[in-house]
Amino acid sequence: MEPRTIAEIHAALGVQLFVLTRAENGCMVASHSALRHLPAEPATVVDTIGAGDAFMSGLIYEAIRSGAARQLTVNESEEGLLDVCVQTALRSAAITVSRLEQTRRIATI
Protein backbone atom coordinates (compact mmCIF):
# COMPACT_ATOMS: atom_id res chain seq x y z
CA MET A 1 0.00 0.00 0.00
CA GLU A 2 1.31 3.45 -0.89
CA PRO A 3 2.25 5.78 2.01
CA ARG A 4 -0.16 8.46 0.78
CA THR A 5 -3.01 5.93 0.84
CA ILE A 6 -2.12 4.87 4.40
CA ALA A 7 -2.11 8.51 5.55
CA GLU A 8 -5.43 9.21 3.80
CA ILE A 9 -7.06 6.19 5.46
CA HIS A 10 -5.96 7.43 8.88
CA ALA A 11 -7.21 10.95 8.12
CA ALA A 12 -10.59 9.52 7.08
CA LEU A 13 -10.74 7.73 10.46
CA GLY A 14 -10.35 11.08 12.21
CA VAL A 15 -6.66 10.91 13.09
CA GLN A 16 -5.56 14.53 13.64
CA LEU A 17 -1.85 14.01 13.11
CA PHE A 18 -0.16 11.09 11.40
CA VAL A 19 3.52 10.56 10.65
CA LEU A 20 4.67 7.57 8.61
CA THR A 21 8.42 7.01 8.71
CA ARG A 22 9.96 5.67 5.51
CA ALA A 23 13.62 4.98 6.40
CA GLU A 24 15.95 6.62 3.85
CA ASN A 25 12.88 8.10 2.12
CA GLY A 26 12.09 10.42 5.03
CA CYS A 27 8.49 10.54 6.19
CA MET A 28 4.95 11.44 5.27
CA VAL A 29 3.20 13.92 7.54
CA ALA A 30 -0.57 14.21 7.52
CA SER A 31 -2.38 16.85 9.57
CA HIS A 32 -5.80 18.42 9.44
CA SER A 33 -4.68 20.76 6.66
CA ALA A 34 -1.97 19.00 4.66
CA LEU A 35 -0.33 15.81 3.54
CA ARG A 36 3.29 16.08 2.53
CA HIS A 37 6.64 14.35 2.32
CA LEU A 38 9.73 15.47 4.23
CA PRO A 39 13.05 14.04 3.03
CA ALA A 40 15.40 12.15 5.32
CA GLU A 41 18.51 13.82 6.66
CA PRO A 42 21.68 12.59 4.93
CA ALA A 43 23.43 9.88 6.96
CA THR A 44 25.90 7.07 6.54
CA VAL A 45 23.89 4.13 7.83
CA VAL A 46 25.80 1.86 10.21
CA ASP A 47 22.95 0.36 12.25
CA THR A 48 19.19 0.95 12.08
CA ILE A 49 18.34 -0.33 15.56
CA GLY A 50 16.65 2.43 17.52
CA ALA A 51 15.94 4.69 14.55
CA GLY A 52 12.18 4.70 15.14
CA ASP A 53 12.61 5.35 18.85
CA ALA A 54 15.01 8.20 18.09
CA PHE A 55 12.55 9.65 15.56
CA MET A 56 9.67 9.62 18.03
CA SER A 57 11.73 10.99 20.92
CA GLY A 58 12.99 13.81 18.65
CA LEU A 59 9.43 14.59 17.59
CA ILE A 60 8.13 14.64 21.16
CA TYR A 61 11.11 16.62 22.44
CA GLU A 62 10.71 19.35 19.83
CA ALA A 63 6.92 19.47 20.24
CA ILE A 64 7.36 20.12 23.97
CA ARG A 65 10.37 22.46 23.60
CA SER A 66 8.72 24.61 20.94
CA GLY A 67 5.26 24.70 22.49
CA ALA A 68 3.79 22.86 19.51
CA ALA A 69 2.49 20.03 21.71
CA ARG A 70 -0.47 22.09 22.92
CA GLN A 71 -1.27 23.31 19.41
CA LEU A 72 -1.06 19.80 17.98
CA THR A 73 -3.56 18.50 20.53
CA VAL A 74 -6.13 21.21 19.81
CA ASN A 75 -5.80 21.03 16.03
CA GLU A 76 -4.41 24.56 15.68
CA SER A 77 -0.86 23.85 14.56
CA GLU A 78 0.92 25.89 11.97
CA GLU A 79 2.42 23.65 9.33
CA GLY A 80 5.81 25.36 9.73
CA LEU A 81 5.91 24.52 13.42
CA LEU A 82 4.99 20.91 12.71
CA ASP A 83 7.74 20.77 10.08
CA VAL A 84 10.30 21.95 12.66
CA CYS A 85 9.22 19.13 14.98
CA VAL A 86 9.48 16.54 12.21
CA GLN A 87 12.86 17.86 11.04
CA THR A 88 14.22 17.46 14.57
CA ALA A 89 12.86 13.90 14.56
CA LEU A 90 14.53 13.18 11.21
CA ARG A 91 17.85 14.54 12.54
CA SER A 92 17.56 12.37 15.64
CA ALA A 93 17.00 9.28 13.51
CA ALA A 94 19.93 10.18 11.22
CA ILE A 95 22.29 10.50 14.18
CA THR A 96 21.11 7.15 15.56
CA VAL A 97 21.57 5.19 12.32
CA SER A 98 25.06 6.60 11.87
CA ARG A 99 26.29 4.96 15.09
CA LEU A 100 26.84 1.34 16.01
CA GLU A 101 24.15 0.01 18.32
CA GLN A 102 25.21 0.73 21.88
CA THR A 103 23.69 -2.45 23.37
CA ARG A 104 26.37 -4.51 21.62
CA ARG A 105 29.01 -2.72 23.68
CA ILE A 106 27.18 -3.51 26.90
CA ALA A 107 26.85 -7.18 25.96
CA THR A 108 30.61 -7.51 25.51
CA ILE A 109 31.63 -5.94 28.81
Side-chain angles (χ1 to χ4, degrees):
M1 187 176 295
E2 289 293 315
R4 182 171 294 277
T5 303
I6 295 168
E8 289 169 350
I9 289 169
H10 281 79
L13 293 172
V15 175
Q16 300 283 328
L17 175 63
F18 181 78
V19 180
L20 177 66
T21 58
R22 303 184 60 221
E24 70 275 3
N25 295 315
C27 66
M28 293 287 297
V29 179
S31 67
H32 64 282
S33 61
L35 172 64
R36 63 203 176 288
H37 170 261
L38 279 84
E41 290 285 321
T44 300
V45 178
V46 175
D47 193 344
T48 60
I49 292 176
D53 295 332
F55 181 93
M56 287 308 299
S57 63
L59 182 67
I60 293 166
Y61 164 80
E62 188 62 35
I64 292 169
R65 190 204 65 75
S66 68
R70 177 173 292 271
Q71 292 178 345
L72 295 174
T73 59
V74 294
N75 202 22
E76 296 176 357
S77 66
E78 296 178 19
E79 296 307 319
L81 189 54
L82 178 56
D83 285 354
V84 168
C85 294
V86 174
Q87 288 165 350
T88 298
L90 289 165
R91 279 188 220 104
S92 296
I95 291 167
T96 299
V97 300
S98 68
R99 297 180 178 166
L100 188 60
E101 178 204 349
Q102 296 301 309
T103 57
R104 288 192 192 145
R105 292 175 140 180
I106 295 167
T108 60
I109 292 177

